[in-house]
Amino acid sequence: MPLIRFDMLEGRSEKELTTILDAAHQAMLDAFGVPPRDRYQIIYEHKKSRVRIEDTGLGIPRTDDVMIISVTTRPRTVDEKTAFYRLLTEALTEKCGIASSDVMVNYVENTDADWSFGNGEAQFLTGKLGTPKVS
């Protein structure tokens, strides 16, 4: 946890997709300080005709490399979130050649009770992961 979903246009190679996932994972490790095996990532590829990602009137140019990255997570600080934005776009530009203008990120926050990593348990609540919190 966090769970990171990537929505992008289809057509990238397996190597490109692996590089995107690895770059995003490293940015998450650096920004959020989570354990290295805390990795939950899903790529959804879409036909070009099925995607519209504009710029909310900000004049941000988009190319066919555009992607929306949705991060579902426990609450994060503003500093953690902004660090992730910066580290992610830097890594995607450096390692994948994806312009920062093609990376849109959004957060969906939830609580410890909203996570089960398996076995029918809420591990954050049982204390198996971190300190139990009441939310």
Side-chain angles (χ1 to χ4, degrees):
M1 179 319 289
L3 168 63
I4 303 180
R5 174 185 166 143
F6 302 78
D7 285 278
M8 61 184 72
L9 300 179
E10 62 187 5
R12 290 183 168 93
S13 71
E14 292 297 317
K15 183 178 180 185
E16 289 171 310
L17 295 173
T18 297
T19 304
I20 289 168
L21 293 176
D22 290 347
H25 184 64
Q26 189 60 54
M28 186 192 68
L29 292 174
D30 294 342
F32 299 155
V34 299
R37 289 184 49 88
D38 197 354
R39 188 170 182 165
Y40 303 93
Q41 301 170 312
I42 303 170
I43 290 178
Y44 291 92
E45 294 183 279
H46 306 278
K47 294 178 190 270
K48 189 173 182 177
S49 64
R50 305 284 194 270
V51 176
R52 296 291 182 272
I53 303 172
E54 296 184 358
D55 67 355
T56 314
L58 296 170
I60 299 171
R62 306 287 193 201
T63 72
D64 286 347
D65 284 340
V66 69
M67 64 178 69
I68 294 177
I69 299 171
S70 300
V71 182
T72 303
T73 183
R74 299 161 83 190
R76 302 286 171 183
T77 67
V78 170
D79 288 343
E80 287 174 320
K81 290 176 183 180
T82 56
F84 181 73
Y85 298 143
R86 180 181 49 78
L87 294 167
L88 176 65
T89 55
E90 288 173 358
L92 291 174
T93 298
E94 178 184 321
K95 297 177 192 242
C96 308
I98 298 170
S100 61
S101 58
D102 276 327
V103 181
M104 180 178 164
V105 181
N106 79 298
Y107 286 92
V108 178
E109 292 187 341
N110 55 28
T111 67
D112 292 349
D114 298 315
W115 292 94
S116 172
F117 295 91
N119 299 327
E121 299 176 299
Q123 289 87 352
F124 286 124
L125 298 180
T126 65
K128 288 184 177 178
L129 283 175
T131 305
K133 295 181 180 180
V134 177
S135 298

